[in-house]
Amino acid sequence: MFTAENNNTEAQPTNERLARYAALQRELAKSASAFVSATDAGSLAETIEHTLEEIGAAASFDHALLRLFDETGPLGTPVFYRHARGVRSRYDTLAESVGGGAIRTWEEQLSSGRPIFASDVEELSAELGDAKTRLIEAGVRSVCVAPISNENGTPFGLVAFASESFEVEWTPAEVEIVQTLAATVASALLRLELEQRARGTSVRLRETLEGTGAATWSWNVQTGSITIDERWARMLGYTVEDLKPVTIDTWKRLTEAGDLARAEAALREHFEGRSNRYDCEIRMRHRSGNWVWIHDRGRIMEWTEAGAPLLMFGTHIDISDRKAAEAETFKSHALLQSVFDGMDDGIAVLDNDFRIVRVNDWIERRYGSAEKLLGGECHQICRGRQRACSRCPVAAARETGTAAHADIGVALDSDHVMWVRLTVHPLKDDGGAISGYVEHVKDITEERKAGDALVAKKEELERFFTVSLDLLAIADVEGRFVRLNTAWEHTLGHPLEELEGRHFMELVHPEDREATENAIRRLARQQQVTEFVNRYRTADGSYRYIEWRSQPHGNLIYAAARDVTDRVEREEAALAASRAKSDFLANMSHELRTPLNGIVGFSDLLRQGDLPEPYGSYVENVYVSAETLMSLISDVLDFSKIEAGKLELEMQPVNLGELLRKAGQTVRMPCEKKGLELVVTTDPNLPHMVESDPTRLTQVVVNLLSNAVKFTEQGFVQLRAEVSRAKADAVTVRISVRDTGIGIEPQQREAIFESFTQADVSSTRKFGGTGLGLAISQRIVERLGSRLELDSTPGVGSTFRFDVELPLLAAADNTQPSPTGASAPAGDDAPAGGPAATADGETGVENANGGAPAADRTVDAHRRREEPVRILLAEDEHINALVTQKLIAELLDTADVETVGDGAKAVEAFSRGRFDLILMDVQMPNVDGYEAARRIRRSESEHSRTPIIALTAGVVEGERRRCLEAGMDDYVSKPVDLERLEGVLFKWVRE
Ligand code: ADP
């Protein structure tokens, strides 16, 4: 309250005035800081009242007044009034003088911003009108009024100091203090108003936020304290109370670490003015432990004077649902994307204008980054093409509305072309209109390369196929030509079109069809056919020989063939030549044998007689030499036949045991002469009848036996036959010839089977021979399906053997026959065979030396005949006829032989007389032996059949067969000697 030593009406002395000024100054400074710290209306009002009182007192004023023109100001009242102690309150009058209608006056009077003051109120401007009157009425004498103005200088209130007891002398300094006070109040009021306005906004904001479900927070950045609402706490499962005290650390603690870092960065950005608000999505920990997604937003609302952020307001919105939905979308999107990108092919999505709107990784990897491609035209996919090409599948897809494709070479760079297969599918909207395209890009470079290589390979093969001189063909197993090369045209003369698709059997020579069908059957069974030859008809009707090499593959036959007509014809010519040669040899042999026959026959007859020495031995030598010469001729002829490939087996029923025993007989005499033991050992299990070529088998065995005898000086020669394997329909018999002779050196064992080879050259001189025997034997044994083997120890002996498989004959008595003795007929045995050997069926072992000469007994039997045996002998050679007659006479005392010189005469003689036997030479002038036999057979009746025995050279192929076919019963090979003749006479002359 005003302390008033101011009842002094006199003008105050100067020092007093200075003291008052200083006091004013002091009060003003004090109040200034009070005004700054007044943050609300209440404290501001208080500060105003206090300041009015303090300044009033310091300046010894009676009245102090503050009036705001606006009745509804922020301070709750528009008038503040203080008066000094001891002074009557003039509130009403003063308030009136600056209120009501006077306000306008003051507004006007103070609008210049300058204060109005006067030592005597009466001096105040008349313009103040009523206001002045009121002041006077209130008893005021001196007054100072300063305007409270806004930033524009417009007064919105006033501060007034007044005194009633004396006239105050207003110094400029004093006036200035009043002005300063007015300005301070003005700025405090303005600030308050601003704050209230801001607060009003935040309230409105809060109200708005209530509706959105957002939680709010305000943060004093400087102190770190945070004000949150219940909603903020509730979002995380708490109440505000639970979280107290809430600071920035509460927020940090609840925020996920990674998100916190982002949030802090966003805050910094805002604080530094780089963003005008803070906005961040963060995860905060819910009380229950799970994360809650929060959209956190805020803005600095106040700054410190130093420019640092002070107050920040913000909101929290729970966006967990949206995040979950986003995550879902992301997941399915990510799935789609990974499928899209993970594809092994390229995918490009085009819009309706053929612009690329999307590509997958594959495309990016090959064509470069998506940025470059997106928005561009689809021709980029077929890079190097600026415009759509005629084969553009996109254009095709647009036209047809369906998928289209094309293979296109894409030049990725200057030396690398990628071949792609583009498939374009149009994308259609609900209405079926095309809204875009999906382009599927497949790299087919490798495929294409392989394809190119294949094509090249195919073309290459095709060229070979065309140029081949050989005939190439593909046929099916039904016997149709499927494909042929042009060589066929040249060979057969038919155009290819005529041949392809045609049944080739129609072209095959009728005689070759069966063999061809067999070959096709083998191919159908997936077997290869090689070296098969048949004849094909050409366009001119002649035939060509074609040799085939065919291989089946599935239902097709791939064949390479060759026209071998020339070769076949050459071969046939060669064959004909060799046939001619062999015919020549046969004839030669006949010619040679005829004189030889004479020599052998007569020397044989001579040596039977009792000739004085030395003539007896001369004759013996002549006979032996002639025999040797004869066998030599046989060997040479045999060999040339083998060489000409004409060794043919004549398979017939054979009594194997018999055959072997007879073979043994042939060397009986030489063995005896050399003092060697001859042992023939046959297996008791040996079947009686088998099928083989008896002549050839005999030839081999006899050859082995004669070699054994020839090369053995002492000891024995053994012929052995044993069954080594038995099957239901065949037996394998091992036939061996063993000797105790000189043996054969190991290094010679191969060579002796070759022609004209002898183990020791000196042996020719010592033992004779041509070196052909084993070569011939080996060939025969090979034809019989076996091989000659040799075991030999030089100086100890040798064993030759072979295993021969012999088909069994279903003959009734196919067992070992009981010993037949000399009187038993030889049956189907080799016709050329000599006298039957005795056999020991029980042991299978026979000492050939032990048996009595069978021939003697046979001859005896015939000699005992009473009636003459009438024989017709047809033989053109005089000497031969003579020899044969003598031999017959030797064998049969009672023989009555009529001899004729040719076939015609034989037939004629037969028609006249009766004969027990006819001996018929086959080679005769006019009518030969075959024809004569046929005629005789035609003229006789079945039950008076006369045996006809052929006299053959025995070397011409098929001679024996021809004899039988001509109706003859048997044959004797020339040279006819006692032994051979005896066999047939014994067999055919009926007793
Ligand atoms: P050759 O007419 O000379 O006997 P082969 O072909 O029959 O002709 O025999 C050839 C050679 O093999 C004979 O000259 C002889 O050196 C040898 N050889 C054949 N058989 C025997 C054997 N049993 N013992 C010793 N050497 C043999």
Side-chain angles (χ1 to χ4, degrees):
M1 289 297 113
F2 294 170
T3 50
E5 289 131 280
N6 51 2
N7 43 4
N8 184 3
T9 54
E10 303 291 335
Q12 290 163 326
T14 307
N15 57 343
E16 205 175 305
R17 289 174 64 172
L18 278 175
R20 198 178 56 172
Y21 177 71
L24 272 174
Q25 281 258 307
R26 203 172 47 245
E27 288 308 321
L28 194 62
K30 270 205 279 183
S31 64
S33 66
F35 274 116
V36 169
S37 54
T39 52
D40 55 37
S43 60
L44 186 57
E46 244 171 59
T47 308
I48 290 172
E49 268 176 26
H50 184 72
T51 305
L52 287 178
E53 186 170 314
E54 293 300 309
I55 289 182
S60 309
F61 292 129
D62 293 332
H63 307 281
L65 182 101
L66 185 145
R67 164 90 217 194
L68 298 176
F69 298 149
D70 186 352
E71 298 283 325
T72 62
L75 301 177
T77 170
V79 184
F80 294 87
Y81 170 77
R82 304 305 290 174
H83 60 92
R85 241 181 288 145
V87 178
R88 199 156 49 93
S89 169
R90 300 286 180 202
Y91 173 81
D92 291 342
T93 338
L94 281 177
E96 234 172 83
S97 71
V98 293
I103 287 177
R104 185 125 303 248
T105 313
W106 284 109
E107 263 180 341
E108 276 168 25
Q109 293 303 310
L110 291 170
S111 63
S112 67
R114 284 190 299 275
I116 296 166
F117 58 92
S119 298
D120 187 348
V121 182
E122 297 293 347
E123 290 168 18
L124 286 175
S125 162
E127 284 177 34
L128 281 168
D130 266 4
K132 183 176 171 181
T133 315
R134 292 276 178 263
L135 284 173
I136 293 165
E137 277 174 11
V140 170
R141 288 288 163 75
S142 48
V143 69
C144 181
V145 181
I148 301 173
S149 308
N150 67 12
E151 52 270 53
N152 303 325
T154 310
F156 63 93
L158 54 80
V159 178
F161 288 97
S163 199
E164 46 185 78
S165 55
F166 54 86
E167 293 168 11
V168 176
E169 207 59 47
W170 292 95
T171 65
E174 285 165 346
V175 173
E176 199 189 307
I177 283 173
V178 177
Q179 270 185 301
T180 305
L181 175 63
T184 306
V185 171
S187 80
L189 275 171
L190 270 176
R191 213 189 72 215
L192 186 71
E193 195 194 273
L194 278 179
E195 272 183 16
Q196 276 184 347
R197 216 185 299 154
R199 220 157 281 150
T201 310
S202 108
V203 167
R204 277 198 301 284
L205 184 71
R206 187 162 301 158
E207 281 163 357
T208 314
L209 291 175
E210 290 281 315
T212 66
T216 60
W217 51 265
S218 65
W219 172 31
N220 186 321
V221 182
Q222 296 305 316
T223 63
S225 77
I226 286 185
T227 312
I228 56 170
D229 61 6
E230 279 298 334
R231 196 173 279 180
W232 195 107
R234 220 169 34 245
M235 265 180 204
L236 303 178
Y238 299 97
T239 64
V240 174
E241 201 54 40
D242 292 336
L243 291 169
K244 264 184 179 165
V246 184
T247 66
I248 190 67
D249 290 329
T250 316
W251 175 74
K252 285 185 181 172
R253 179 166 50 81
L254 292 169
T255 301
E256 196 271 336
D259 295 350
L260 179 63
R262 275 193 301 114
E264 286 178 331
L267 279 172
R268 257 195 312 282
E269 220 171 78
H270 180 50
F271 289 172
E272 287 163 12
R274 283 182 285 129
S275 63
N276 53 14
R277 65 168 156 173
Y278 156 76
D279 189 323
C280 197
E281 291 180 353
I282 56 174
R283 272 163 294 175
M284 296 189 74
R285 181 72 76 186
H286 191 273
R287 191 175 203 166
S288 63
N290 55 310
W291 293 111
V292 179
W293 270 102
I294 301 286
H295 190 181
D296 193 9
R297 275 191 293 193
R299 189 178 198 162
I300 300 168
M301 301 301 278
E302 242 181 280
W303 303 82
T304 65
E305 271 168 53
L310 180 62
L311 265 179
M312 185 164 174
F313 293 92
T315 56
H316 271 187
I317 296 173
D318 184 344
I319 53 165
S320 300
D321 288 349
R322 195 192 85 204
K323 279 285 177 189
E326 266 178 19
E328 255 330 292
T329 317
F330 179 80
K331 255 199 275 174
S332 52
H333 184 80
L335 181 73
L336 263 181
Q337 187 68 37
S338 63
V339 170
F340 195 62
D341 283 338
M343 281 187 70
D344 243 2
D345 297 329
I347 298 284
V349 182
L350 311 179
D351 67 11
N352 220 352
D353 300 323
F354 298 174
R355 288 191 187 279
I356 300 167
V357 292
R358 199 160 168 194
V359 293
N360 70 346
D361 271 3
W362 190 97
I363 298 262
E364 282 196 76
R365 279 199 301 276
R366 284 164 180 78
Y367 290 85
S369 76
E371 283 103 88
K372 277 199 275 172
L373 292 166
L374 296 183
E377 289 219 29
C378 66
H379 316 314
Q380 289 182 80
I381 302 292
C382 332
R383 193 187 289 191
R385 276 158 218 264
Q386 295 309 309
R387 292 191 320 275
C389 65
S390 54
R391 292 187 299 136
C392 176
V394 188
R398 173 158 68 182
E399 239 164 65
T400 61
T402 56
H405 67 85
D407 291 353
I408 292 173
V410 180
L412 285 180
D413 50 53
S414 54
D415 54 11
H416 178 208
V417 171
M418 171 173 73
W419 276 92
V420 296
R421 172 156 303 151
L422 288 179
T423 309
V424 179
H425 302 268
L427 292 172
K428 295 184 181 170
D429 61 19
D430 295 343
I434 294 176
S435 57
Y437 304 87
V438 173
E439 202 164 5
H440 174 220
V441 187
K442 189 174 174 57
D443 185 344
I444 53 163
T445 313
E446 289 307 315
E447 209 174 288
R448 211 174 152 102
K449 266 191 214 156
D452 286 351
L454 211 67
V455 167
K457 189 114 256 136
K458 215 179 139 200
E459 280 170 359
E460 194 176 282
L461 287 176
E462 197 65 42
R463 277 196 287 279
F464 279 130
F465 195 76
T466 322
V467 303
S468 170
L469 286 177
D470 278 344
L471 307 162
L472 302 178
I474 303 172
D476 60 24
V477 288
E478 273 90 58
R480 261 188 307 259
F481 280 134
V482 175
R483 257 205 88 187
L484 300 170
N485 69 344
T486 44
W488 285 93
E489 262 179 10
H490 306 307
T491 307
L492 297 185
H494 303 287
L496 276 189
E497 310 84 76
E498 249 179 52
L499 292 172
E500 282 177 352
R502 185 161 175 182
H503 275 275
F504 51 76
M505 206 56 90
E506 295 166 17
L507 297 173
V508 174
H509 193 288
E511 285 173 15
D512 297 343
R513 283 188 190 155
E514 198 184 318
T516 306
E517 269 157 13
N518 287 339
I520 294 173
R521 272 196 287 280
R522 269 161 63 203
L523 287 162
R525 287 198 301 271
Q526 303 297 308
Q527 292 168 349
Q528 240 191 15
V529 169
T530 53
E531 289 172 16
F532 174 73
V533 179
N534 58 7
R535 282 165 288 177
Y536 271 75
R537 196 174 61 240
T538 64
D540 65 15
S542 64
Y543 282 90
R544 305 291 296 175
Y545 283 91
I546 308 289
E547 186 185 277
W548 295 86
R549 187 183 179 84
S550 312
Q551 182 152 328
H553 185 83
N555 272 338
L556 293 177
I557 299 166
Y558 291 81
R562 197 168 279 185
D563 182 348
V564 291
T565 310
D566 293 348
R567 192 190 80 197
V568 170
E569 279 171 1
R570 266 200 311 278
E571 277 170 7
E572 273 180 355
L575 211 66
S578 124
R579 222 171 265 145
K581 189 177 81 183
S582 117
D583 284 350
F584 169 76
L585 282 173
N587 290 333
M588 274 301 290
S589 105
H590 184 75
E591 299 306 320
L592 283 173
R593 278 163 195 252
T594 304
L596 255 184
N597 222 11
I599 299 168
V600 169
F602 283 112
S603 56
D604 198 12
L605 284 171
L606 268 179
R607 72 190 177 114
Q608 305 294 325
D610 237 353
L611 282 181
E613 286 301 325
Y615 306 108
S617 4
Y618 292 171
V619 169
E620 185 63 30
N621 281 341
V622 170
Y623 175 75
V624 170
S625 300
E627 276 286 349
T628 306
L629 190 55
M630 192 67 95
S631 81
L632 217 76
I633 290 172
S634 296
D635 268 5
V636 171
L637 288 174
D638 265 355
F639 184 73
S640 41
K641 264 198 290 182
I642 287 171
E643 289 297 273
K646 295 213 313 182
L647 180 80
E648 270 181 30
L649 296 179
E650 285 190 28
M651 304 305 274
Q652 46 186 279
V654 174
N655 181 332
L656 188 63
E658 197 66 24
L659 180 146
L660 295 172
R661 275 187 291 276
K662 283 182 182 170
Q665 281 299 324
T666 60
V667 289
R668 186 166 52 88
M669 289 296 289
C671 277
E672 258 171 36
K673 269 188 204 152
K674 290 181 99 172
L676 299 173
E677 197 183 354
L678 174 68
V679 187
V680 178
T681 313
T682 52
D683 193 325
N685 294 325
L686 219 54
H688 183 199
M689 296 305 285
V690 294
E691 193 180 59
S692 193
D693 181 331
T695 315
R696 294 301 174 187
L697 204 52
T698 304
Q699 188 180 351
V700 172
V701 176
V702 168
N703 182 41
L704 295 178
L705 283 171
S706 16
N707 274 350
V709 175
K710 184 153 69 170
F711 297 103
T712 306
E713 293 309 324
Q714 56 185 30
F716 64 85
V717 169
Q718 184 189 32
L719 168 64
R720 195 184 163 93
E722 57 201 328
V723 175
S724 60
R725 197 143 56 93
K727 290 199 290 187
D729 56 350
V731 286
T732 303
V733 178
R734 166 166 294 192
I735 295 170
S736 57
V737 173
R738 182 173 163 210
D739 64 53
T740 52
I742 60 169
I744 298 164
E745 293 294 333
Q747 62 272 21
Q748 298 295 335
R749 282 174 203 164
E750 292 281 320
I752 55 165
F753 293 108
E754 284 161 23
S755 39
F756 305 107
T757 305
Q758 295 175 327
D760 179 2
V761 233
S762 65
S763 65
T764 322
R765 264 163 283 146
K766 191 172 168 194
F767 301 105
T770 55
L772 282 175
L774 284 177
I776 293 168
S777 297
Q778 183 68 286
R779 303 284 201 295
I780 293 171
V781 170
E782 278 171 9
R783 284 300 307 270
L784 289 170
S786 183
R787 260 196 88 71
L788 269 178
E789 310 273 355
L790 166 63
D791 270 342
S792 186
T793 312
V796 175
S798 315
T799 305
F800 287 86
R801 69 167 162 275
F802 59 99
D803 292 291
V804 61
E805 193 185 77
L806 301 160
L808 289 174
L809 281 183
D813 60 341
N814 197 4
T815 52
Q816 276 281 27
S818 55
T820 51
S823 57
D828 287 337
D829 260 75
T838 54
D840 181 346
E842 293 308 308
T843 62
V845 176
E846 174 205 8
N847 187 328
N849 296 336
D856 296 348
R857 281 182 279 155
T858 312
V859 172
D860 288 349
H862 288 286
R863 277 186 181 141
R864 280 196 299 272
R865 281 174 63 110
E866 299 290 313
E867 279 182 33
V869 177
R870 285 154 302 171
I871 295 174
L872 175 61
L873 171 63
E875 169 66 87
D876 62 325
E877 290 288 339
H878 181 60
I879 304 266
N880 279 354
L882 269 181
V883 170
T884 309
Q885 282 170 11
K886 290 286 175 199
L887 290 174
I888 293 170
E890 273 294 305
L891 291 166
L892 295 169
D893 296 341
T894 58
D896 177 0
V897 182
E898 181 178 345
T899 304
V900 291
D902 63 43
K905 287 189 182 114
V907 177
E908 194 258 336
F910 179 77
S911 67
R912 280 187 285 101
R914 268 190 63 234
F915 296 98
D916 295 309
L917 185 79
I918 301 168
L919 290 171
M920 180 85 78
D921 183 20
V922 293
Q923 277 175 317
M924 287 184 294
N926 298 330
V927 175
D928 67 12
Y930 304 114
E931 183 52 34
R934 271 192 289 275
R935 289 187 191 172
I936 289 168
R937 285 288 176 249
R938 276 202 296 274
S939 70
E940 70 180 354
S941 67
E942 194 49 48
H943 24 265
S944 66
R945 185 181 163 105
T946 310
I948 306 176
I949 311 300
L951 302 174
T952 71
V955 289
V956 177
E957 192 56 42
E959 211 173 38
R960 277 164 285 187
R961 185 170 42 78
R962 281 181 69 194
C963 293
L964 299 179
E965 274 169 12
M968 293 189 259
D969 298 289
D970 209 339
Y971 53 84
V972 177
S973 309
K974 291 182 177 179
V976 180
D977 61 10
L978 269 180
E979 257 180 56
R980 289 178 186 129
L981 195 59
E982 185 186 23
V984 290
L985 291 184
F986 160 73
K987 189 169 162 189
W988 293 105
V989 174
R990 276 179 291 267
E991 289 181 44

